[in-house]
Amino acid sequence: MEYRRVKDQESYDDLSQKDVESLSGRSLSSVNATGLSSAGGAKGKSNWKLKSVVTLALTLLTSSQAILIVWSKRAGKYEYSVTTANFSVEALKCLLSLAALFRTWNRHGVTDDNRLTTSFDEVSVYPIPAILYMVKNLLQYYIFAYVDAPAYQILKNLNIISTGVLYRIILKKKLSAIQWAAFILLCAGCTTAQLNPSSDHVLQTPIQGWMMAIVMALLSGFAGVYTEAIIKKRPSRNINVQNFWLYIFGVIFNLVAICVQDYDAVMNKGFFHGYSFITVLMILNHALSGIAVSMVMKYADNIVKVYSTSVAMLLTAVVSVFLFNFHLSLAFFLGSTVVSVSVYLHSVGKLQPQK
Amino acid sequence: MEYRRVKDQESYDDLSQKDVESLSGRSLSSVNATGLSSAGGAKGKSNWKLKSVVTLALTLLTSSQAILIVWSKRAGKYEYSVTTANFSVEALKCLLSLAALFRTWNRHGVTDDNRLTTSFDEVSVYPIPAILYMVKNLLQYYIFAYVDAPAYQILKNLNIISTGVLYRIILKKKLSAIQWAAFILLCAGCTTAQLNPSSDHVLQTPIQGWMMAIVMALLSGFAGVYTEAIIKKRPSRNINVQNFWLYIFGVIFNLVAICVQDYDAVMNKGFFHGYSFITVLMILNHALSGIAVSMVMKYADNIVKVYSTSVAMLLTAVVSVFLFNFHLSLAFFLGSTVVSVSVYLHSVGKLQPQK
């Protein structure tokens, strides 16, 4: 249970006072006019390199994340407060962003694009993904009334489809027919790879469970696509400034969560009570992979993110064979084959760039 | 057990005196020069229609075949001799071919293309597919020393890959990269659809089992591709004449099998002892689907045949839900999705015809 909460640290799973209403049509539609189209064309080769590096980083960080989780599970249960761990992750992300910014200021001086000060207009949309994740996480408590944890793992693959659909609708970016086929295969392949003898009862999920799973997939997909829209709205803006403002709300929300949930434990036993070496490793990993997600949003897109985390899931299983003597199932091999073909089809199925 | 023997009737599972050596390079290489290339281009629209009709027929016949098998299993065990059933199938195919020929002769008169008389050069290759199937069926008895029946069902999907590879190598026909990807997906999808909680032990198959499964897949793929080569070598030759010569060897081989295996039973209880209404239905179905296979080889190809029988496998399962109250597994849905995408990719991934 512990790890799942830590794992959802990206989701800023606490309250915000900001209204969902501020997710206005204006800010979304203007994204396409200004940011997205110019991001791809101008940089060319160096952008492609950057895209590959951040994608690889995200894949490796995500796969080692899951391995740390397995490792930590074998090491026994932790005694730390989950809220303090989430806070630490957000704070570390802020600090790393600031450190990168200081280096930039020293090298290139302070410019309009890399100064930390901002307008209300720019910063007002930043808490919105956090709110979406929060609503999703609240729903998560209720869905377990209808489905159990293994079935929920299977249903989570609906995220892949919802991300693709919302990416198309909201960001108005096109995928070719072959890339859509590849996306369906990615979803089917990931689900196949996770099949186990008890998976079949997911088919007995009541209609309420399906509805909630679909709503959660939409919320999660929407949050991802919205983050991409925010970051790409100002393509020339320094990513570390954007990250700082994205993460500072995580810090604030988690501070509230500590006060509400773990105030006594922190006051009596100290903020870092129960932290072990592996806790620190997990916090470091979560912070770095959080930054990698932002980078992928900036230099690639949500589709790349989905592929990256799916491949990471398979990598984790393969590495676990050596580390933890896991046995791979036939379903895993079949699912991996389908995912591999999907990655191939996604890359060969690219639309010709429109002039 | 009964049904599997009947099911393999296409394989002419008996001995032939013909030497495998006669499978000479000459007859194979000359196919490409004469037959294959002209078959696609000339007819155009009407050929496409014929291709669709025979493919649909094969799909429906194959899927109802499996349903008859399930039906017959529920009706209990049969008391008839399998060899007489196989003989009846081959004889019925011969009769149907002859009947079609008579109609053609009445309408269009006897021409060089539709006369039944033939040269040794033409007919000498016709028993070869039968020999290949025979070797495969002999191996089938030995492979069960290494794998059990459910694992064998899974391993049989290797046929899909071997057919694709031999089709490329022997018939020298090209598939596009996307069509190859689709073919891998077809194999993965079919296997996924057949997964059940005990499928995993196929991974414990010893190396001898794998080798034999691969050899059997190659033999079966080779037989299919060779049949296509024989039929397409003379594209203007009437298909019913080609079928007659193809099936007459099946009649002869099965006559030998009756004498060797069931001579006493037939002599004492009669040729048609133990036949029921469902036996007759199954024989009719096998005969018609045998003819449909030949038609697909003539007007389409082995790739179409593989897709057709794979889709039939899925159709059977869906129909069985209504007929026999079967429960479809999650793996079945995932596998069907992958197979559907594969069919789509195969059709959109067509190579541009070379002039």
Side-chain angles (χ1 to χ4, degrees):
Chain A
M1 267 320 276
E2 298 291 300
Y3 86 79
R4 190 160 294 148
R5 296 287 297 284
V6 179
K7 203 174 165 225
D8 284 336
Q9 48 80 20
E10 285 175 66
S11 322
Y12 323 108
D13 52 357
D14 209 15
L15 271 152
S16 149
Q17 313 309 318
K18 201 94 186 61
D19 197 348
V20 178
E21 294 302 306
S22 68
L23 178 59
S24 66
R26 182 193 56 79
S27 58
L28 279 175
S29 54
S30 63
V31 168
N32 293 291
T34 56
L36 296 181
S37 51
S38 62
K43 307 285 174 66
K45 194 96 181 180
S46 81
N47 191 38
W48 180 85
K49 212 170 162 183
L50 197 57
K51 190 171 155 174
S52 307
V53 170
V54 296
T55 307
L56 191 68
L58 178 61
T59 311
L60 294 179
L61 285 164
T62 312
S63 56
S64 56
Q65 206 171 82
I67 289 166
L68 281 174
I69 289 165
V70 179
W71 198 4
S72 72
K73 273 171 128 177
R74 293 162 66 92
K77 206 169 167 282
Y78 291 116
E79 297 302 318
Y80 64 83
S81 307
V82 174
T83 52
T84 66
N86 287 345
F87 174 87
S88 305
V89 169
E90 295 303 313
L92 186 55
K93 290 200 284 187
C94 267
L95 285 176
L96 290 171
S97 301
L98 280 177
L101 267 181
F102 276 118
R103 219 178 63 154
T104 309
W105 292 334
N106 278 334
R107 282 193 181 173
H108 307 289
V110 178
T111 67
D112 259 6
D113 283 335
N114 70 23
R115 69 187 159 71
L116 202 56
T117 50
T118 177
S119 62
F120 177 77
D121 186 52
E122 182 183 357
V123 88
S124 62
V125 287
Y126 279 70
I128 292 175
I131 297 169
L132 291 170
Y133 279 123
M134 185 201 69
V135 176
K136 194 203 107 184
N137 287 333
L138 282 176
L139 270 180
Q140 192 164 294
Y141 289 99
Y142 295 100
I143 197 172
F144 285 113
Y146 302 103
V147 301
D148 57 11
Y152 178 63
Q153 287 298 317
I154 297 278
L155 289 173
K156 264 172 81 175
N157 290 304
L158 289 171
N159 282 3
I160 295 175
I161 299 297
S162 72
T163 301
V165 171
L166 292 170
Y167 174 85
R168 173 72 191 85
I169 295 175
I170 296 174
L171 297 180
K172 296 196 175 61
K173 291 214 246 178
K174 285 204 173 82
L175 292 175
S176 71
I178 288 181
Q179 286 182 317
W180 276 114
F183 223 60
I184 295 169
L185 291 173
L186 183 68
C187 184
C190 283
T191 314
T192 303
Q194 295 172 325
L195 283 182
N196 62 55
S198 69
S199 301
D200 261 6
H201 68 249
V202 79
L203 296 174
Q204 272 92 56
T205 302
I207 186 78
Q208 298 97 320
W210 278 105
M211 295 308 296
M212 289 176 76
I214 290 168
V215 169
M216 284 169 69
L218 286 172
L219 283 169
S220 160
F222 194 65
V225 168
Y226 199 91
T227 307
E228 183 178 341
I230 291 171
I231 288 179
K232 285 204 174 135
K233 191 181 176 186
R234 292 176 168 81
S236 63
R237 194 77 162 112
N238 188 294
I239 178 66
N240 294 306
V241 176
Q242 295 181 308
N243 278 350
F244 176 82
W245 288 108
L246 210 51
Y247 304 146
I248 199 74
F249 290 102
V251 172
I252 297 167
F253 295 164
N254 280 294
L255 207 55
V256 176
I258 293 174
C259 295
V260 172
Q261 219 172 303
D262 291 319
Y263 183 82
D264 288 345
V266 168
M267 281 298 135
N268 295 333
K269 297 192 261 175
F271 190 89
F272 294 109
H273 72 272
Y275 276 50
S276 69
F277 176 64
I278 205 161
T279 318
V280 175
L281 269 186
M282 282 175 77
I283 288 171
L284 191 65
N285 180 299
H286 276 92
L288 291 176
S289 46
I291 289 171
V293 168
S294 296
M295 294 284 188
V296 166
M297 297 295 182
K298 179 90 178 179
Y299 302 111
D301 52 45
N302 267 285
I303 305 296
V304 169
K305 182 192 166 227
V306 168
Y307 272 99
S308 173
T309 47
S310 301
V311 170
M313 186 266 287
L314 303 182
L315 268 182
T316 303
V318 173
V319 173
S320 300
V321 171
F322 300 101
L323 288 185
F324 311 113
N325 253 330
F326 267 33
H327 287 287
L328 297 181
S329 66
L330 179 58
F332 178 82
F333 285 111
L334 295 168
S336 304
T337 304
V338 173
V339 169
S340 307
V341 173
S342 164
V343 171
Y344 168 76
L345 289 170
H346 179 77
S347 68
V348 298
K350 275 198 182 74
L351 283 173
Q352 297 306 312
Q354 285 141 347
K355 300 289 167 190
Chain B
M1 273 314 281
E2 298 293 298
Y3 86 79
R4 191 159 295 147
R5 297 285 298 282
V6 179
K7 202 174 165 222
D8 285 335
Q9 48 79 21
E10 284 176 68
S11 323
Y12 321 108
D13 54 357
D14 208 13
L15 271 151
S16 149
Q17 312 310 317
K18 200 96 183 60
D19 197 348
V20 178
E21 294 301 305
S22 68
L23 178 59
S24 66
R26 184 192 56 77
S27 57
L28 279 174
S29 54
S30 62
V31 168
N32 293 292
T34 56
L36 296 181
S37 51
S38 63
K43 307 285 175 63
K45 193 95 183 180
S46 81
N47 191 39
W48 180 85
K49 210 171 164 183
L50 198 56
K51 190 171 155 174
S52 308
V53 170
V54 294
T55 307
L56 191 69
L58 179 60
T59 310
L60 295 178
L61 285 165
T62 311
S63 56
S64 56
Q65 206 172 81
I67 289 166
L68 282 175
I69 289 166
V70 180
W71 197 4
S72 73
K73 274 169 124 179
R74 293 163 65 93
K77 205 168 167 287
Y78 290 119
E79 297 301 319
Y80 63 84
S81 307
V82 175
T83 52
T84 67
N86 288 345
F87 174 87
S88 305
V89 169
E90 296 303 312
L92 186 55
K93 291 200 284 188
C94 267
L95 286 176
L96 289 171
S97 301
L98 280 177
L101 267 180
F102 275 118
R103 220 178 62 157
T104 309
W105 292 335
N106 278 334
R107 282 191 184 174
H108 307 288
V110 178
T111 66
D112 259 6
D113 282 335
N114 70 25
R115 68 187 159 72
L116 201 57
T117 50
T118 177
S119 62
F120 177 77
D121 186 51
E122 183 182 357
V123 89
S124 63
V125 287
Y126 277 71
I128 293 176
I131 296 168
L132 292 169
Y133 280 123
M134 183 202 70
V135 177
K136 195 203 107 187
N137 288 332
L138 282 176
L139 271 180
Q140 192 164 296
Y141 289 99
Y142 295 101
I143 198 171
F144 285 114
Y146 303 103
V147 301
D148 57 10
Y152 178 64
Q153 287 297 317
I154 297 278
L155 288 174
K156 265 171 82 175
N157 290 303
L158 289 172
N159 283 2
I160 295 175
I161 299 297
S162 72
T163 302
V165 171
L166 291 169
Y167 175 85
R168 173 70 190 87
I169 295 174
I170 296 174
L171 297 181
K172 297 197 174 60
K173 291 213 245 179
K174 285 204 173 83
L175 292 174
S176 71
I178 288 181
Q179 285 182 318
W180 276 115
F183 223 59
I184 294 169
L185 291 172
L186 183 68
C187 184
C190 283
T191 314
T192 303
Q194 293 171 326
L195 283 182
N196 62 55
S198 70
S199 300
D200 262 5
H201 69 249
V202 78
L203 296 174
Q204 272 92 55
T205 302
I207 186 78
Q208 298 97 318
W210 279 105
M211 296 308 296
M212 288 175 76
I214 290 168
V215 169
M216 283 169 69
L218 287 173
L219 282 168
S220 160
F222 195 64
V225 169
Y226 199 93
T227 306
E228 182 178 343
I230 291 172
I231 289 180
K232 285 202 175 137
K233 191 181 175 186
R234 292 177 168 80
S236 64
R237 195 76 162 112
N238 188 294
I239 178 66
N240 293 307
V241 176
Q242 295 181 308
N243 279 349
F244 176 82
W245 287 109
L246 210 51
Y247 305 145
I248 199 74
F249 289 102
V251 173
I252 297 167
F253 296 164
N254 279 293
L255 207 54
V256 176
I258 294 174
C259 295
V260 173
Q261 218 174 302
D262 291 318
Y263 183 83
D264 287 345
V266 168
M267 281 298 136
N268 295 332
K269 296 192 261 177
F271 191 89
F272 295 108
H273 72 270
Y275 276 50
S276 68
F277 176 65
I278 206 161
T279 318
V280 175
L281 269 187
M282 282 175 77
I283 287 171
L284 191 65
N285 179 298
H286 277 92
L288 291 175
S289 46
I291 289 171
V293 168
S294 296
M295 294 284 189
V296 166
M297 296 295 181
K298 178 91 177 179
Y299 302 111
D301 52 45
N302 267 283
I303 305 296
V304 169
K305 183 194 165 222
V306 167
Y307 273 99
S308 171
T309 46
S310 300
V311 170
M313 186 265 288
L314 303 181
L315 268 181
T316 302
V318 173
V319 174
S320 300
V321 171
F322 301 100
L323 289 185
F324 310 113
N325 253 329
F326 267 32
H327 287 287
L328 296 181
S329 65
L330 178 58
F332 178 83
F333 286 112
L334 294 169
S336 305
T337 305
V338 172
V339 169
S340 307
V341 173
S342 165
V343 171
Y344 168 75
L345 288 171
H346 179 78
S347 68
V348 298
K350 273 199 183 71
L351 283 173
Q352 298 306 311
Q354 283 140 348
K355 301 289 169 193

